[in-house]
Every structure is written in C-alpha cells, then in structure tokens.
Amino acid sequence: MGKIIAGKISDIPPGKMIKVSIDGRDILVANINGDYCATDDSCTHSGSSLSEGKLDGCTITCGWHAAEFDCKTGKLVKFPAKIRDLTSYNVVVDSDNVFVEM
C-alpha cells in the first residue's frame, strides 16, 4: 500500500494525537515531542477509539476501561486482563507532511 498522508505537522502538535482513516482502518497518530508514531486506534479490549482517550508521554489510556498501551510499539502496558497488543506502523515526516507506512 505504501505511504499514506495522515496530515500536516501543524495538525498534530507535540503531546497530541489524531485519528485518521486509511483504507477503511482507523489509525491513531501521535506526536511525542516531535517523534511521530502510529498504532491501531481501536482498543483491543472493547473496540473504543483510543484517540478519544488520554495521551501521557508515550502511553495511551483508553477512555472506556483504562487499558494502557505504548504508542511507539503498540505493546500493552497495563490492564487487569491479558489482551492483544496494538499493531504499530512506521511514520515518515517529509517536509511538513506526516505519512503512515502501511
């Protein structure tokens, strides 16, 4: 599929995250102090949109049941039950555009 534009650098300021739809898949793109990362946007516990949750450093906390994921790797950080990690994607910044490699 290649590189898909997620937005402009100005769309994702440091400490913020957005949701973009790429080929029918919802992807969360976050800016951690100028380091962009991308994972699936759907929580693997309940399917809620993680971009509607909270970003603290590189930890995304689901707004529904507080599952915590590392937004750089997609790995589960904390939750009372074992749930699947998120898929993570490579992000490329070219000029002032942010791309997700699928």
Side-chain angles (χ1 to χ4, degrees), residues 60-68 78-80:
I60 307 163
T61 303
C62 178
W64 284 9
H65 302 111
E68 296 179 9
K78 182 180 174 187
F79 195 65

Side-chain angles (χ1 to χ4, degrees), residues 68-99:
E68 296 179 9
F69 299 91
D70 183 317
C71 65
K72 291 184 177 185
T73 64
K75 299 284 184 194
L76 178 67
V77 173
K78 182 180 174 187
F79 195 65
K82 176 103 173 108
I83 57 176
R84 266 186 312 107
D85 294 333
L86 303 170
T87 300
S88 63
Y89 304 92
N90 192 39
V91 176
V92 176
V93 177
D94 185 6
S95 187
D96 65 340
N97 295 311
V98 179
F99 294 91

Side-chain angles (χ1 to χ4, degrees), residues 2-88:
K3 292 190 314 185
I4 307 296
I5 191 163
K8 301 273 186 200
I9 290 173
S10 59
D11 296 335
I12 318 164
K16 299 296 180 187
M17 56 187 171
I18 63 168
K19 176 172 70 172
V20 295
S21 285
I22 298 174
D23 201 29
R25 175 179 280 158
D26 289 333
I27 306 293
L28 176 146
V29 181
N31 180 341
I32 311 301
N33 298 318
D35 184 21
Y36 294 87
C37 51
T39 65
D40 288 330
D41 182 62
S42 296
C43 179
T44 57
H45 170 247
S46 62
S48 66
S49 175
L50 292 170
S51 60
E52 295 174 8
K54 185 176 113 190
L55 179 63
D56 183 18
C58 58
T59 301
I60 307 163
T61 303
C62 178
W64 284 9
H65 302 111
E68 296 179 9
F69 299 91
D70 183 317
C71 65
K72 291 184 177 185
T73 64
K75 299 284 184 194
L76 178 67
V77 173
K78 182 180 174 187
F79 195 65
K82 176 103 173 108
I83 57 176
R84 266 186 312 107
D85 294 333
L86 303 170
T87 300
S88 63

